Amino acid sequence: MELNRRTVIAGAAAAGIAATTLGGTAQAADSTSGSASGSRKPVKELFGKLADGTKLYRWSLENGGTRLKVLNWGGVVQGLEISDRHGRCANVSLGFDNIDDHVAKTPYFGALIGRYGNRIAKGRFTLDGKSYQLSVNDGVNSLHGGKQGFDKHIWDVEPFAKGSDVGLHLYYTSVDGEMGYPGTLKAKVTYTLDKHGDWRIDYEATTDKATVVNLTSHVHWNLAGEGSGTIEDHELQIAASRYTPTDSGLIPTGELAKVAGTPFDFRHAKPVGRDIRAGHTQQVQAKGYDHNWVLDKGVTAKPEHVATLRDPRSGRTLKIFTDQPGLQFYSGNFLDGTLVGTGGHTYRQGDALCLETQHLPDSPNHANFPSTVLRPGQTYRTTTIHSFGA
């Protein structure tokens, strides 16, 4: 799910119970966090520089047949490589081979999203009787934390290798009032590759003032390989019998509508493209799928299997496990051929899809949605696991 995808690409280029309660070739290596061979500890290399000269880095991780490349800019997954049924490896996430495009052009490719993933209507909400005005960056609405969300900041990165796991701890502190949000939020996100090659994301956050928080990851998937063409033949299954219809601004109406008898029924696996042009009003205004599925399991204490994506051509599969109540499925509607990715190919409509585990969009303005409020003394914790196969 991107900034009214039309808006962000043009604009950026020119310049239950709340879970909260509980590239291309990088430049010559500036420093390393482990040797390039003989060590599983992530390898650090210089990826580029910001306009002011600030150095940005990329960490490379490998375990269980999965290779992960991560930037300290926005916690971006710059590449994720897995094998097909014949053992052939390919990068299955969209991205860029240079930092300039990630900073100026990206529609959230691979980014960590916060302080609030998805949309908040008119950038406004009321908490404990006080109204807050957030940064507006999607027409009249706020999307993915505003004009300078967590995806547009440098994160502190701490690599680790522990037992059979290898990974990164990422840290960012969002000060009180940043993008209009109350409270100083201290966020920690851990990326782990285990011995099976599964990619686990653990999110944590604390605050010194009541606030709202909804963190997620924005990887654009194409299991046939980035730049290989359409994902409409990918088979998708989502364990959800309801979804959240939206208005013309892609803000939930508050209804939890049944998927039965609609193009939104993915309870049994089907090709993404089978019903994508069915002419349903919701699809017409979103130009495809760009909605949040209300997972049947609700908020759970541990991650549960909620979705499976499979590419019939390569045999690659992705199974998603989460403790969150929602899954935003976006079908790459606003990729328009103006972006050139890591493999040198342009990205066009339907060349990738997103499956973002999260709370429901605009939750602070819907009393019937699970709460996203985090208070002092509480720790926001949530986990999502991506399990790969072929």
Side-chain angles (χ1 to χ4, degrees), residues 248-260:
S248 60
L250 302 183
I251 296 293
T253 63
E255 178 187 6
L256 304 181
K258 294 181 179 180
V259 301

Side-chain angles (χ1 to χ4, degrees), residues 14 125 139 205 315 365:
F125 70 93
N365 294 311

Side-chain angles (χ1 to χ4, degrees), residues 17-352:
I17 301 294
T20 57
T21 60
L22 302 172
T25 303
Q27 300 176 32
D30 182 83
S31 62
T32 62
S33 297
S35 63
S37 62
S39 172
R40 291 190 307 103
K41 197 170 184 180
V43 176
K44 175 184 177 183
E45 59 189 336
L46 182 66
F47 187 71
K49 297 180 180 180
L50 296 179
D52 64 2
T54 301
K55 294 180 180 179
L56 298 178
Y57 296 93
R58 180 174 70 182
W59 279 258
S60 297
L61 303 74
E62 184 172 358
N63 203 9
T66 299
R67 299 169 184 166
L68 186 66
K69 298 178 180 180
V70 178
L71 308 181
N72 63 338
W73 175 258
V76 164
V77 172
Q78 190 256 343
L80 195 156
E81 300 177 12
I82 56 175
S83 296
D84 67 7
R85 61 165 66 93
H86 301 295
R88 294 174 298 204
C89 201
N91 177 18
V92 297
S93 66
L94 272 58
F96 299 111
D97 64 359
N98 64 88
I99 195 60
D100 291 343
D101 284 348
H102 272 290
V103 171
K105 297 181 180 180
T106 181
Y108 303 106
F109 285 156
L112 280 177
I113 302 297
R115 181 179 302 196
Y116 197 96
N118 221 306
R119 293 174 173 84
I120 294 181
K122 298 181 180 179
R124 298 174 188 167
F125 70 93
T126 299
L127 178 58
D128 296 338
K130 184 175 180 179
S131 296
Y132 295 92
Q133 178 62 60
L134 307 176
S135 166
V136 171
N137 61 331
D138 180 26
V140 299
N141 303 314
S142 182
L143 176 66
H144 291 337
K147 294 180 180 178
Q148 287 187 300
F150 287 8
D151 61 294
K152 297 177 179 65
H153 289 277
I154 297 173
W155 289 64
D156 292 327
V157 179
E158 178 187 346
F160 68 87
K162 183 178 181 181
S164 60
D165 295 339
V166 60
L168 303 171
H169 299 301
L170 300 101
Y171 303 89
Y172 177 68
T173 297
S174 175
V175 298
D176 184 20
E178 184 175 275
M179 297 295 103
Y181 287 91
T184 294
L185 188 84
K186 295 184 177 180
K188 175 185 177 183
V189 179
T190 301
Y191 290 165
T192 303
L193 288 182
D194 69 15
K195 64 181 180 180
H196 305 293
D198 292 345
W199 174 38
R200 176 181 176 123
I201 310 177
D202 292 292
Y203 305 88
E204 297 180 30
T206 59
T207 184
D208 61 0
K209 188 185 298 183
T211 190
V212 295
V213 60
N214 186 31
L215 306 182
T216 191
S217 173
H218 210 297
V219 172
H220 286 60
W221 301 100
N222 186 322
L223 297 184
E226 69 83 31
S228 64
T230 183
I231 47 78
E232 290 191 9
D233 58 349
H234 280 36
E235 297 166 353
L236 177 63
Q237 184 174 8
I238 304 174
S241 38
R242 295 176 297 166
Y243 77 104
T244 54
T246 65
D247 62 18
S248 60
L250 302 183
I251 296 293
T253 63
E255 178 187 6
L256 304 181
K258 294 181 179 180
V259 301
T262 77
F264 295 84
D265 193 349
F266 283 88
R267 289 175 295 175
H268 300 284
K270 68 177 181 181
V272 169
R274 176 179 294 176
D275 300 321
I276 203 167
R277 294 171 179 81
H280 192 286
T281 302
Q282 286 291 309
Q283 291 175 299
V284 171
Q285 66 184 18
K287 299 188 181 299
Y289 296 110
D290 196 354
H291 297 78
N292 196 274
W293 270 250
V294 182
L295 300 172
D296 289 339
K297 71 173 189 61
V299 176
T300 48
K302 295 182 179 180
E304 295 186 9
H305 182 204
V306 298
T308 299
L309 182 68
R310 178 177 180 271
D311 170 40
R313 291 177 289 172
S314 66
R316 294 187 184 96
T317 61
L318 163 62
K319 293 183 178 180
I320 295 180
F321 300 75
T322 189
D323 49 20
Q324 292 289 272
L327 181 75
Q328 184 81 14
F329 165 37
Y330 164 64
S331 55
N333 314 326
F334 298 108
L335 297 173
D336 61 2
T338 61
L339 303 177
V340 179
T342 50
H345 302 285
T346 57
Y347 296 148
R348 297 189 177 277
Q349 186 178 52
D351 278 358

